[in-house]
Amino acid sequence: MPCASSAPPRGERVTPITVRFLPENRVWRGEGPAELFLAAATCDILVEQPCGSKTVCGKCRVRVLEGDLPPGPADLRLLGPEATAAGWRLGCRLLLYTDATIEIPPAARAVAAKSFGDEGPLLDPPGDAPGYGLAIDVGSTTLAVALVELAGGAVLATASQLNPQVRWGGDVISRIHWAQENPARARELHDVLLRALDDLAGRCLAAAGVERAQLRDVAAVGNPTMLH
């Protein structure tokens, strides 16, 4: 399964490379050097970064099965010589600049799920037409959307996924620091969030057979940083 390319760091000499991610057997083709976690994200594989890529936790480790990607000082410090000799690397710091096959174990993956239960708030829809609303939970880790029948309060469909912003840090402080380094990054955080929420809303509408034009209300909750 080929995945879309992500842009290499600025100022670097680029080289066409192919990287295979296991166990999904998804293939990323792009230009290196490229950051591992960004290339994996284009293949819908989100690598956990609990410390915000500060190289203090070592929980993002992935295994290089094929390819010449030697360990760096942070790999050796956190993982040790035995693990690095077996191919283990810190996913948050791994740069891809040659063809490689990389295994991303479950422990290094960011996963999430959330449920709204069976009933929502009781609201009176405007007019006589059937009314539906979206309840949105904008979590720093998990995004969740519920499609609610307003008059009766029934939850017709739900969908949730990991917040794609986790690729820039597992906590909001890490994301704030990342965004402050470049004004364009705040827009990038905003855009990936909107795309993810729109996708979740579309999945709920499709599951319930409801058209977007039938939506009457939207309510969103989240912590101050996420809502800002």
Side-chain angles (χ1 to χ4, degrees), residues 35-214:
E35 294 168 291
L36 174 281
F37 72 95
L38 291 178
T42 65
C43 293
D44 295 324
I45 301 172
L46 297 180
V47 178
E48 186 72 271
Q49 297 184 68
C51 68
S53 191
K54 298 296 189 298
T55 66
V56 296
C57 73
K59 296 180 179 179
C60 63
R61 69 181 203 167
V62 300
R63 193 173 189 182
V64 178
L65 301 178
E66 297 177 356
D68 184 18
L69 298 171
D75 299 304
L76 292 167
R77 175 172 53 85
L78 281 178
L79 305 180
E82 185 175 342
T84 54
W88 292 101
R89 305 286 185 269
L90 295 175
C92 70
R93 287 302 180 94
L94 183 58
L95 277 180
L96 307 171
Y97 50 84
T98 186
D99 294 348
T101 298
I102 298 175
E103 176 189 5
I104 302 182
R109 294 168 181 260
V111 295
K114 187 173 291 188
S115 171
F116 282 86
D118 298 323
E119 294 185 352
L122 298 177
L123 300 173
D124 293 326
D128 298 327
Y132 303 93
L134 292 176
I136 301 176
D137 185 343
V138 188
S140 57
T141 301
T142 307
L143 303 178
V145 174
L147 177 64
V148 180
E149 197 279 311
L150 296 179
V155 176
L156 304 181
T158 63
S160 64
Q161 70 165 69
L162 193 79
N163 187 332
Q165 293 176 335
V166 299
R167 70 188 66 170
W168 296 292
D171 60 273
V172 294
I173 300 301
S174 297
R175 296 176 210 172
I176 290 172
H177 287 317
W178 186 83
Q180 286 178 329
E181 293 176 0
N182 187 326
R185 291 179 173 180
R187 170 57 59 180
E188 189 171 3
L189 286 167
H190 177 76
D191 289 346
V192 298
L193 178 62
L194 286 187
R195 287 196 295 269
L197 291 175
D198 186 65
D199 178 67
L200 291 174
R203 285 158 54 185
C204 288
L205 292 167
V210 174
E211 299 293 331
R212 286 181 183 259
Q214 294 178 278

